[in-house]
Every structure is written in structure tokens, then in C-alpha cells.
Amino acid sequence: MTKRVRVRFAPSPTGYLHIGGIRTALFNYIYALKHNGRFFLRIEDTDHVRSKKKYIDSILDSINWLGFTPYEGPIYQSERLNIYKKYAEQLVKERKAYYCYCTKEDIKKEKLAAEKNKVTYKYSGKCRAHIGEKEKNISYSIRIKNIKRKNYIIKDLIRGDVKVNSDEFDDYIIVKSNGTPTYSFACVIDDHLLNISHVIRGEDHITNTFKQLIIYDLLKWEYPTFAHIPLIHSTGGRRLSKRHGATALIEYKNMGYLREVLINYLSLLGWSPKTDKEIFDIDFLIENFKLEDISKNSAQFDIEKLNWMNGVYLFGMDIEKKAELVISYVEKYYKYKLERKKLINILCILGPRGRTLKEIWEHIKFFYKAPIEYAKGIDIENRNKIISLIEKTNFNDNTLEEAIREFCHKTNMKLQKIAQFIRVAISGEIVSLGIFESMKILGKQETLNRLMEYEKWLKKVSS
């Protein structure tokens, strides 16, 4: 590769950054790292109505969380309007673009006529007659003078050759009547000035790419290399949207997913390392990643697969590191300060339970706050005798479990029944961690307190 790789991620802040967008960022970032290149972050915020600061913050938070540090950026298009105006006026001066004075009503009439004649609408080009002229005090947009009857070929690294004739397009607008550039025009200007070598983006941009090739030709600029990656669909086969709430990337952080897992999982949405290996780190990804290995077919986002992968990461993690993650997560989202030694003891009995940090907290939170509601009332005989037995038993060795088993033998009661009574009393749930290990961690006094509270609750609901 003779030309240095320079790639960009260029989201529009008109909605929250979603799974599809961040995968595009990932592929660009990894491609740059693999080839010792440069990764740029550009915010395409020229839509003043729909662009919002909260969406920009979401983009930046997501990029920072995943560690995609740009060589330069964020670069804001809203701060570069004079640059786009300069090149638009240059095209007008060279008679490759022209001022269009058509009103919305004029365009509406043309569209209605096309609809009546059952043909695809294209701008009539009537303002071409005024090419090179500029009328005063009249609102105008700027349209390119399309190159007629030229066959364009995108030599796409993923899709192969994709062809279209320029006559498929009309004299489309490059600067709107409010002075802001259109997406296709600003994108070309910025990519050229940043010396972008590879444009890696979703396949839904293929039509935009053909329009942009016309602009490259009019400005006599060299094309970058293009790679259009497949879209991501939900398990139901529908396209994921950045307005599809739960897929906003930063929500996965809030739900307790690990950044390493998101990188690992997202890389497999459309790309494969050509092995059966599914769990790998970013170094493996950098070493094995090739744009040519990305599939042309749409990828499917499967939340259960993501949950499985996150669980594998957490279960295989060093206990000290896992404790640190849980402490930070719980303090940030639930405002509890967890003592490390106690937490490590809890995590040791947790096993593979908890596929996310949020799920881990759901499993262990009863150690930190006594239940105020109970999933079920377990009414068993000899409840007071069981509580009295626990009060007299040593919690510091295995005698607790032995004492309860012996009690079951003497009273002919099933251990399962007693265990379920204790489980609901101490956790509020019918499913929890091992009761004997849990009681030891809670300690005798806290265990007895919870048993007594549950006893009061049983009397209350049965009266």
C-alpha cells in the first residue's frame, strides 16, 4: 500500500449513535491501526434544525468509551461553511454549477407533473439558462451542472465493481437556499482536504457515492478508495435505526456491557477471521482484519449472542478485575459503595451467573439491602425451631449446613423446603446464590434479622 491510510468516521448528530454507526467507526479505526494510518472524527452537523448537542455528546462519549482515539477531531462541519461556499462559488465561476431561483412551489409543480406522467422526478434544469448569472435580492440554491452520459464505476473493496450512468441523476443541489451545503458536497470537500484515502461506510451510501464522484470530476480531484459495508438488521430482519432507543450505543455501557465485548462482537457483524474463533482481543482483530473479508450480506444483531459473549468475558475474568468493574458500576449507577473484600467473597460464589454488570448486581444486591418485598410466602412447619437452630449454630465453619441437614433428618422435613424458606427470607427471591454461603457472608445477626422480618411478613399476609 503506497499511499498512507487516512480514514474517517463522520456521523450526523441528528440522533443517538447506534450499533450500525459504531461498527462503521470500529472498521475505520481498526483499518487505520492495521496499516499504521490516521483515523479522523468528523461531526456532520450542518443540519441546524435536527442536530442536537445531546447527540454530539452521545457520539463523543461512545467513541471515548470504546477507546477510538482520533488522530484529529472532532472536526465540525458547521465551523467550515466558508470553505464549502468557496468551492461552490468556484464551480459557479467555472460554469460547472449555477444559481437556481426555483421556489418550493416551482419544484412542487414539477414533481406533480412527473407523478402525473408516471416518471421518476428529475429537476428540469430550467435555471441552467442563467448559468453564470446572479440576480440580486432573490433567494437561491446552487446546483451542479451534471456531467451527461458518463458511465461511473465504483471499484468497491467489498462489493466489487458497481456501475451507474450519470444520466440517472439530475442537476442536484450542492448548497441549499439557507447557505448550508448538502451532505454529498460537504463530504467531498472535507474528504479531499483531509486527504482521506479510504471511505468506509454503510452500503446505504452507494447512491451518495455516485453523486460524489461527479463532484470529484468537476473539481478535478482524485477519488478515494471506497468500501461499502453491509447494513445490520435486527433478529426480525428489520434494519436497525439510530432512533431505535435500546440500540443507542451508550446504553450498552449503562446496561453493564464491557467495551472489549462490544468491540469483539461488533467486529463479527459482517466480518469473519476465517476461523471458528469468536472470542478474541483487539490485537487479534488488528492482525487479522481485512476489508476484503467483509461479507456483502447484511449482518444480524443478536442480543442473546452479545449477552453470551459478555458472560464469557466476565466469567473468565480475574476476580480482582471483576470486583473493580462491579464496584465502579454499582457506585455510578446505584450509588452503593461496595467493600472489596466482601464483594470478592460474593463473586467467588456467584459462578457464571450474571452476563452483564447490571445482571451481577441484580444477583448480589440482597447482600447490601434487605428485601422489603418477597416473591413468595413459604409456609413451613417448625419455623421458630429453624430460626432458633440458626441462632445457636456457628457460622464460621461447615457446622451450619451440617446442623440444618441433621435437623431435616430428625424432623423428617425436606432440605429443599427449608432452603427455599431461608432463601426467600434472606434475598426476597425464590432463586438466589447458595443459601449456606450467602448466610455466612451476611453473618449470623443479619441472617437472623431477615428471618425474623420474613416471619412477621408471613404472619401479616396470612392474617
Side-chain angles (χ1 to χ4, degrees):
M1 194 169 294
T2 55
K3 188 175 181 180
R4 184 166 203 170
V5 168
R6 294 168 68 90
V7 297
R8 85 299 194 274
F9 176 52
S12 174
T14 55
Y16 290 108
L17 185 60
H18 61 117
I19 286 292
I22 204 65
R23 185 200 53 173
T24 299
L26 171 64
F27 285 175
N28 276 278
Y29 180 68
I30 295 300
Y31 193 70
L33 290 180
K34 182 177 181 67
H35 297 287
N36 193 29
R38 299 285 187 259
F39 170 71
F40 296 83
L41 175 61
R42 185 170 74 226
I43 306 296
E44 300 190 336
D45 59 341
T46 57
D47 188 333
H48 301 304
V49 176
R50 295 171 60 213
S51 294
K52 306 291 183 185
K53 183 180 182 300
K54 64 181 179 179
Y55 299 141
I56 294 175
D57 291 342
S58 171
I59 291 167
L60 299 181
D61 288 346
S62 299
I63 292 293
N64 290 335
W65 176 48
L66 293 181
F68 300 166
T69 305
Y71 176 74
E72 183 180 338
I75 299 164
Y76 293 93
Q77 285 190 332
S78 60
E79 299 174 357
R80 298 165 60 81
L81 299 181
N82 287 337
I83 296 174
Y84 311 130
K85 181 180 179 181
K86 167 190 168 185
Y87 285 100
E89 294 293 345
Q90 175 185 320
L91 289 175
V92 172
K93 185 177 181 181
E94 294 173 354
R95 306 178 75 84
K96 296 174 181 177
Y98 58 90
Y99 303 114
C100 177
Y101 302 98
C102 292
T103 64
K104 290 181 179 179
E105 290 72 23
D106 294 330
I107 299 300
K108 184 178 180 180
K109 288 179 183 178
E110 288 192 5
K111 289 182 177 179
L112 287 173
E115 185 179 341
K116 183 177 180 180
N117 295 322
K118 297 181 179 180
V119 296
T120 302
Y121 170 71
K122 292 181 183 177
Y123 174 63
S124 64
K126 68 178 184 179
C127 284
R128 269 196 180 208
H130 306 293
I131 195 164
E133 301 175 7
K134 188 175 183 180
E135 298 185 26
K136 294 182 179 180
N137 303 321
I138 300 179
S139 176
Y140 64 87
S141 57
I142 299 178
R143 293 180 181 269
I144 66 155
K145 183 180 178 183
N146 188 16
I147 300 170
K148 296 297 184 181
R149 296 178 295 280
K150 179 171 181 177
N151 291 316
Y152 278 94
I153 301 176
I154 303 173
K155 294 189 175 296
D156 195 283
L157 293 181
I158 297 169
R159 315 188 73 79
D161 289 355
V162 187
K163 305 175 183 179
V164 77
N165 189 279
S166 61
D167 287 350
E168 294 288 324
F169 307 107
D170 60 5
D171 290 355
Y172 53 87
I173 292 173
I174 58 173
V175 178
K176 302 173 188 176
S177 59
N178 64 4
T180 60
T182 58
Y183 164 77
S184 289
F185 186 63
C187 184
V188 170
I189 304 304
D190 285 336
D191 285 348
H192 174 75
L193 296 180
L194 286 172
N195 198 23
I196 296 300
S197 64
H198 294 73
V199 174
I200 306 167
R201 58 188 177 189
E203 65 181 6
D204 52 332
H205 283 286
I206 288 179
T207 298
N208 290 325
T209 299
F210 282 119
K211 286 185 174 183
Q212 290 165 3
L213 293 184
I214 295 171
I215 297 172
Y216 277 106
D217 281 350
L218 292 174
L219 290 167
K220 298 181 180 180
W221 289 344
E222 181 183 354
Y223 304 158
T225 300
F226 292 95
H228 292 91
I229 60 182
L231 299 180
I232 300 175
H233 290 174
S234 67
T235 50
R238 294 179 299 175
R239 178 181 168 184
L240 290 178
S241 167
K242 63 183 175 183
R243 295 177 183 85
H244 186 69
T247 57
L249 193 280
I250 204 65
E251 286 302 308
Y252 291 93
K253 177 183 180 182
N254 298 341
M255 290 186 289
Y257 291 90
L258 308 181
R259 60 178 294 274
E260 298 92 335
V261 175
L262 262 297
I263 291 171
N264 187 164
Y265 180 72
L266 290 175
S267 71
L268 294 171
L269 295 181
W271 173 81
S272 169
K274 294 188 179 299
T275 69
D276 293 333
K277 190 171 185 176
E278 290 189 296
I279 306 294
F280 47 77
D281 59 19
I282 194 169
D283 291 334
F284 176 91
L285 177 57
I286 293 169
E287 181 180 351
N288 290 274
F289 184 76
K290 294 180 182 178
L291 287 174
E292 295 80 359
D293 290 340
I294 296 176
S295 171
K296 297 178 185 178
N297 300 321
S298 62
Q300 187 175 86
F301 177 77
D302 184 349
I303 189 65
E304 286 305 314
K305 180 82 175 280
L306 176 61
N307 288 337
W308 166 80
M309 185 175 286
N310 209 73
V312 170
Y313 267 75
L314 284 170
F315 183 59
M317 187 178 290
D318 174 77
I319 198 76
E320 293 281 350
K321 182 178 180 182
K322 186 190 291 190
E324 187 61 41
L325 289 174
V326 173
I327 288 170
S328 297
Y329 181 80
V330 171
E331 183 172 351
K332 179 176 181 179
Y333 293 98
Y334 298 98
K335 312 305 178 187
Y336 278 85
K337 290 186 179 292
L338 308 186
E339 193 270 320
R340 177 183 295 273
K341 184 177 180 181
K342 178 180 177 180
L343 176 60
I344 288 176
N345 289 334
I346 296 169
L347 294 178
C348 286
I349 68 171
L350 181 68
R353 301 176 187 86
R355 299 171 299 177
T356 65
L357 295 174
K358 183 176 182 179
E359 284 188 5
I360 286 177
W361 174 241
E362 291 300 317
H363 281 295
I364 70 172
K365 65 183 179 182
F366 75 90
F367 287 102
Y368 299 93
K369 53 181 182 179
I372 56 175
E373 295 180 350
Y374 302 94
K376 190 175 182 181
I378 308 295
D379 190 9
I380 61 173
E381 298 176 359
N382 300 315
R383 294 201 304 258
N384 290 333
K385 289 183 179 180
I386 294 170
I387 295 173
S388 177
L389 173 67
I390 291 173
E391 185 176 11
K392 296 174 182 177
T393 304
N394 188 347
F395 269 46
N396 296 324
D397 53 31
N398 295 325
T399 56
L400 178 60
E401 181 175 356
E402 293 172 358
I404 291 177
R405 287 185 180 278
E406 184 179 347
F407 178 83
C408 291
H409 179 72
K410 288 181 178 180
T411 58
N412 202 29
M413 292 183 67
K414 291 184 178 180
L415 176 62
Q416 182 181 1
K417 193 76 172 177
I418 294 176
Q420 194 72 326
F421 166 74
I422 296 173
R423 176 174 286 108
V424 175
I426 65 174
S427 72
E429 304 293 339
I430 57 175
V431 177
S432 72
L433 308 186
I435 60 163
F436 300 113
E437 297 92 338
S438 297
M439 285 192 289
K440 287 180 181 178
I441 293 172
L442 284 171
K444 180 184 287 190
Q445 191 57 54
E446 181 63 21
T447 298
L448 289 170
N449 290 344
R450 295 189 183 193
L451 286 166
M452 295 302 295
E453 287 300 315
Y454 186 47
E455 172 71 9
K456 291 178 186 178
W457 182 83
L458 286 173
K459 291 179 179 179
K460 182 179 177 180
V461 297
S462 63
S463 60

